[in-house]
């Protein structure tokens, strides 16, 4: 049906005037009817009998194309929630959704024909009667009349759309001038193409094309979008009143838009209704009822249908932006056909008419947003106190990420500051996604502190050690020779301390884990290959969050306490490996994509690896974490109704970022609180004017703010879900309790419920690799190789 369009007519010295056009068009129509379009171009001069126009007409008709190239129309792409029905966001250059004629109400079809081209089903592309009337009137009167048929109008719209699709600015401008210019040559071109089109397309095909391409308002293209916007319905369900309203708009979309000029729109609507009645498309009763209906009463405006981009998604805007980054980054190569560059792929999104079903659970998303904002209110300044006693005002950030174990589906992404992707975000808003990595709109991340210890524990168990094996938890300086790494060289002696010195002496690994004792984990590390820890962490899903820094960095002993920045989303995904008993899945945000023709397209894969961690080790780590919420570093934050859940606190050096990452079999969630714009010590902190750290500790910890936020979210998100249990641990990996071994400092001590493990003075080579930071996003640095620790016994 379609072939490549010829270039726009080149400028000519001769112009065709109105009287010449009458002769040309009439002759063209008559000859084309008998001999075809091409023959008409050859015989026009003789038929017209006008020597003065012979040269001009030959040149005009030789330059005119005979077939119309019909490119795919720009259509709106839509993001949906996980239910596949709830709209999250729309993206478009032109707000349009193509539909077939059978999906358009007969009233709509009749209304358009009645008002725009009542002889549509009789002519062959040009209405001779209407053309004669209009041309004679326009030549003898200042009151101009139009005579374009629906076919000609369709041709004009196609030529305009083809021009807009041009990427070269000069070619685009020339093509638009040729398609829109008020010249007689343009009308000849449309006439010739219209007759050719009628020979290649049925009337129904032409009407369908016109109803999809026409503009029906300032931000509305095509009848489906018009039905949704003005009446909150579909094109298939339009009534006579609704159809007449929409049909009346297209002549002058700006003037007859019912939301802009309701009075003019109603008068135009009634004119359409009258034409429908006169042409027997509706009955007298239908007409009388319709014209009596006030326009405003008939409207049911859906403003959400013309929203464009992520911002209108409100609570889900953060997640929405993450999905656009998945597309623009071409994650997993799934979007290679959308364009070679990030901008090209986003342009394809805005024009392709894609239906993108995402993984987000809107219920959980709203809960997550509410809980992080309740924990750290926005707009109410917080403060911290320096060593010298100076008070610094802060706007703390709180971010949460939640994923489904075993699938990698991102269920919720939330932060306390409203997401605003504009160049100048709203007050207290942020264009940074603090829950995700840098490549997906996030920051360079935050030091995970002791939430990294689960990876050390995994390597410990892989190497044949057990939970009841005793280690030395006494703060001390480890000599350089105490550690081993098969893949790197060059680290310094490492001095490590616990939060207030109360955790010392011999203890088993089980207690060292739930009380999060740094020195004990340092002792464990002396019996392991640091490079093995790195490999295990990477296999389980730990990823650095800064661009180009996703692989686990093995830099020295302090890596055991979380020196490499990461994001809440990636920590939630890594802990989901434990929740799913050893299967790691990369986070995914899209479950299906369908193009405008209904064809299913490729989506990024979660690349689930069931062998990421031995199930016996995963279940044993889960067992080791089971006391964290009951008697360990996040005591008092058990989930409601006795629901089975485990997790781990994490506090970066000097509390610059505080974490809790926890999971049930159904959900893995990470929460971080920090001052993202600039790293600061969170000491003697007030949050929104209220003291938040216990006076005996003075530092903010993962157990004091992040764990309660995690609990508040998980309790509500899992309400009504079954209370599932975890597999039993492996008895050989748990081991048997052993008597404490005396250490250099004396003996073991009881857990006071106050100890947090803080690394106080390490100076290994990690300081060289992790000192960069993102001033806009609070990337943590490992200055001096210092790691982090956690509050114990509290939830205070």
């Amino acid at each position: 049906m379609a072939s490549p369009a010829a270039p726009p007519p080149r400028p000519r010295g001769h112009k065709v005037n109105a009287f010449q056009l009458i002769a040309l068009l009439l002759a063209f129509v008559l000859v084309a009817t008998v001999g075809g379009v091409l023959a008409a171009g050859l015989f026009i001069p003789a038929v017209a009998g006008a020597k003065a126009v012979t040269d001009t007409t030959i040149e005009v008709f030789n330059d005119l194309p005979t077939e119309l190239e019909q490119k795919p129309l720009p259509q709106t792409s839509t993001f949906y929630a996980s239910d596949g029905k709830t709209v999250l966001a729309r993206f478009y250059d032109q707000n349009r959704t193509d539909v077939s004629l059978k999906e358009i109400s007969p009233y709509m079809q009749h209304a358009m024909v009645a008002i725009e081209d009542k002889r549509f089903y009789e002519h062959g592309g040009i209405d001779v009667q209407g053309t004669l009337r209009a041309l004679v009137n326009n030549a003898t009167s200042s009151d101009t009349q139009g005579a374009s048929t629906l076919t000609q109008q369709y041709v004009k719209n196609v030529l305009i759309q083809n021009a807009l699709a041009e990427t070269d600015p000069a070619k685009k401008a020339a093509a638009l001038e040729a398609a829109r210019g008020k010249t007689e040559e343009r009308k000849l071109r449309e006439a010739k193409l219209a007759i050719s089109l009628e020979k290649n397309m049925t009337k129904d095909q032409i009407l369908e094309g016109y109803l999809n391409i026409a503009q029906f308002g300032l931000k509305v293209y095509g009848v489906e979008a018009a039905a949704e916007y003005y009446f909150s319905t579909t094109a298939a369900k339009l009534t006579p009143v609704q159809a007449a309203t929409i049909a009346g708009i297209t002549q002058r979309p700006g003037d007859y838009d019912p939301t802009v000029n309701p009075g003019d729109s109603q008068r135009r609507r009634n004119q359409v209704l009258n034409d429908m009645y006169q042409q027997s498309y509706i009955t007298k009763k239908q007409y009388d009822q319709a014209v009596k209906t006030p326009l405003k009463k008939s409207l049911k405006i859906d403003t959400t249908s013309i929203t464009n981009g992520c911002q209108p998604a409100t609570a889900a805007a953060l997640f929405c932006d993450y999905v656009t980054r998945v597309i623009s980054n071409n994650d997993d190569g799934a979007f290679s056909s959308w364009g070679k560059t990030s901008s090209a792929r986003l342009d394809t999104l805005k024009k392709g008419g894609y239906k993108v079903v995402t993984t987000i659970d809107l219920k959980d998303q709203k809960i997550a947003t509410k809980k992080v904002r309740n924990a750290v209110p926005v707009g109410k300044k917080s403060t911290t106190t320096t060593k010298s006693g100076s008070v610094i005002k802060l706007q703390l950030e709180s971010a949460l990420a939640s994923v489904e174990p075993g699938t990698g589906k991102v269920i919720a992404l939330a932060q306390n500051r409203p997401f605003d992707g504009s160049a100048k975000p709203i007050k207290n808003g942020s264009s940074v996604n603090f829950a995700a990595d840098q490549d997906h709109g996030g920051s360079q991340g935050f030091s995970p502190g002791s939430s990294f210890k689960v990876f050390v524990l995994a390597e410990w168990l892989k190497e044949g050690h057990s939970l009841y094996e005793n280690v030395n938890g006494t703060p001390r300086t480890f000599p350089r020779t105490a550690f081993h790494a098969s893949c790197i060289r060059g680290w310094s002696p490492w001095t490590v301390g616990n939060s207030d010195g109360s955790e010392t002496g011999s203890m088993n690994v089980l207690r060292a884990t739930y009380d999060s004792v740094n020195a004990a984990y340092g002792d464990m590390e002396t019996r392991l290959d640091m490079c093995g820890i790195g490999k295990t962490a990477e296999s389980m899903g730990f990823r650095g969050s800064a661009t180009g820094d996703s692989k686990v960095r093995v830099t020295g002993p302090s890596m055991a306490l979380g020196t490499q920045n990461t994001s809440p989303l990636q920590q939630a995904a890594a802990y989901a490996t434990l929740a799913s008993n050893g299967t790691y899945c990369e986070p995914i945000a899209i479950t299906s994509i369908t193009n405008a023709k209904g064809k299913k397209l490729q989506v990024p894969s979660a690349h689930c690896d069931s062998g990421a961690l031995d199930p016996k080790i995963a279940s044993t780590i889960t067992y080791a974490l089971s006391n964290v919420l009951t008697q360990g570093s996040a005591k008092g934050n058990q989930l409601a109704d006795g629901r089975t859940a485990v997790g781990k606190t994490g506090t970066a050096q000097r509390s610059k970022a505080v974490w809790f990452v926890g999971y049930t079999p159904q959900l893995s969630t990470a929460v971080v609180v920090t001052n993202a714009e600039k790293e600061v010590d969170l000491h003697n902190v007030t949050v929104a004017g209220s003291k938040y750290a216990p006076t005996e500790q003075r530092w903010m910890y993962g157990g004091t703010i992040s764990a309660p936020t995690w609990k508040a979210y998980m309790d509500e998100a899992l309400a009504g879900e079954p209370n599932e249990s975890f597999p039993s641990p492996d008895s050989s990996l748990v081991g048997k309790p052993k008597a404490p071994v005396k250490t250099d400092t004396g003996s073991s001590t009881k857990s006071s419920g106050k100890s947090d493990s803080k690394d106080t003075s390490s100076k290994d080579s990690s300081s060289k690799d992790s000192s960069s930071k993102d001033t806009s996003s609070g990337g943590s640095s490992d200055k001096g190789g210092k790691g982090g620790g956690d509050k114990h016994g509290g939830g205070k």
Side-chain angles (χ1 to χ4, degrees), residues 160-282:
I160 291 173
Q161 290 298 329
N162 289 349
L164 291 172
E166 284 284 355
T167 56
D168 182 87
K171 290 182 179 179
K172 178 182 286 189
L176 283 172
E177 175 60 28
R180 291 172 172 168
K182 295 183 178 180
T183 64
E184 308 305 342
E185 287 93 334
R186 191 210 84 200
K187 294 180 181 179
L188 283 174
R189 184 189 189 198
E190 289 176 4
K192 186 176 182 182
L193 286 171
I195 291 179
S196 176
L197 202 66
E198 292 267 0
K199 292 180 179 294
N200 292 291
M201 293 175 67
T202 66
K203 291 289 187 180
D204 281 353
Q205 288 173 327
I206 293 169
L207 182 59
E208 177 185 301
Y210 180 77
L211 287 168
N212 280 308
I213 202 171
Q215 186 174 358
F216 293 101
L218 299 179
K219 294 184 179 181
V220 182
Y221 291 81
V223 67
E224 181 72 6
E228 185 176 8
Y229 175 52
Y230 296 116
F231 302 106
S232 299
T233 188
T234 64
K237 297 179 181 179
L238 290 170
T239 65
V241 168
Q242 295 168 340
T245 303
I246 293 173
I249 298 171
T250 190
Q251 186 183 64
R252 295 201 297 271
D255 294 337
Y256 291 139
D257 184 327
T259 65
V260 178
N261 295 306
D264 290 342
S265 178
Q266 180 163 317
R267 284 187 287 273
R268 176 70 173 168
R269 179 204 70 178
N270 290 346
Q271 181 183 347
V272 177
L273 288 168
N274 182 64
D275 286 359
M276 292 175 72
Y277 169 61
Q278 294 298 330
Q279 295 169 47
S280 301
Y281 288 126
I282 57 175

Side-chain angles (χ1 to χ4, degrees), residues 377-394:
V378 177
K380 296 180 180 180
K381 295 298 182 183
S382 303
T383 62
T384 189
T385 307
T386 66
K387 284 184 178 180
S388 63
S390 299
V391 176
I392 302 174
K393 291 183 178 180
L394 310 171

Side-chain angles (χ1 to χ4, degrees), residues 25-26 29-30 33 119 123-135 147 149:
L25 282 178
L26 288 177
V29 172
L30 292 171
T33 302
R119 284 181 284 274
H123 62 66
I126 296 177
D127 183 359
V128 176
Q129 181 180 339
T131 299
L132 276 173
R133 171 183 49 75
L135 288 173
T149 62

Side-chain angles (χ1 to χ4, degrees), residues 574-595:
Y575 272 61
T577 302
L578 300 171
S580 60
N581 217 32
T583 297
Y584 169 65
C585 298
E586 295 175 12
I588 57 169
I590 300 171
T591 56
S592 72
I593 301 176
T594 307
N595 68 12

Side-chain angles (χ1 to χ4, degrees), residues 337-605:
S337 63
W338 292 36
K340 294 182 179 180
T341 65
S342 174
S343 59
R345 290 187 285 273
L346 288 178
D347 188 59
T348 298
L349 173 67
K350 293 177 183 178
K351 295 178 179 178
Y354 299 103
K355 293 183 178 179
V356 181
V357 178
T358 70
T359 58
I360 192 172
D361 184 306
L362 279 183
K363 176 183 72 72
D364 289 354
Q365 177 65 36
K366 291 175 182 177
I367 295 168
T369 301
K370 178 181 177 182
K371 299 310 178 184
V372 294
R373 290 179 179 174
N374 285 348
V376 184
V378 177
K380 296 180 180 180
K381 295 298 182 183
S382 303
T383 62
T384 189
T385 307
T386 66
K387 284 184 178 180
S388 63
S390 299
V391 176
I392 302 174
K393 291 183 178 180
L394 310 171
Q395 172 55 73
L396 293 176
E397 281 76 26
S398 178
L400 178 153
S402 194
V403 302
E404 183 179 77
T407 67
K409 292 179 181 179
V410 181
I411 303 302
L413 289 180
Q415 63 190 36
N416 62 330
R417 293 178 63 178
F419 179 78
D420 185 351
S422 62
K424 294 183 179 180
I426 59 174
K427 184 179 180 181
N428 298 318
S430 175
S431 60
V432 177
N433 179 348
F434 298 111
D437 62 11
Q438 191 172 26
D439 285 339
H440 293 91
S443 67
Q444 286 189 16
F446 317 102
S447 169
S450 291
S451 68
F452 189 86
K453 287 176 181 171
V454 295
F455 309 116
V456 181
L457 181 57
E459 182 65 11
W460 174 263
L461 297 175
K462 283 176 71 174
E463 290 299 314
H465 298 284
S466 69
L467 295 182
Y468 274 115
E469 188 169 335
N470 286 328
V471 291
N472 184 359
T474 303
R476 61 199 184 277
T477 297
F478 290 91
R480 184 183 65 81
T481 55
F483 300 99
H484 165 66
S486 59
C487 60
I488 64 164
R489 291 183 181 180
W491 55 88
S492 301
W494 183 38
T495 299
V496 62
N498 302 328
S499 98
D500 58 8
S502 61
E503 291 281 348
T504 62
S506 177
M507 65 185 71
N508 59 49
V509 170
L510 183 64
R511 179 183 148 204
T513 298
Y514 67 71
D515 271 349
S516 198
V517 185
N518 283 355
Y521 263 77
D523 194 34
M524 292 165 62
E525 195 176 13
T526 64
R527 310 180 202 183
L528 303 172
D529 182 347
M530 289 187 285
C531 299
I533 295 172
K535 289 179 181 178
T536 294
E538 195 159 299
S539 176
M540 291 174 65
F542 181 87
R543 301 289 184 269
S545 56
T547 298
D549 190 38
S550 65
K551 289 187 174 297
V552 177
R553 282 190 279 113
V554 180
T555 54
S558 67
M559 69 175 284
L561 305 185
T563 57
Q564 185 177 0
N565 289 1
T566 190
S567 68
L569 177 57
Q570 199 58 58
Q571 278 295 76
Y575 272 61
T577 302
L578 300 171
S580 60
N581 217 32
T583 297
Y584 169 65
C585 298
E586 295 175 12
I588 57 169
I590 300 171
T591 56
S592 72
I593 301 176
T594 307
N595 68 12
K597 295 182 179 179
K599 181 182 178 181
K600 291 266 188 178
L601 304 182
Q602 180 185 352
V603 298
S605 171

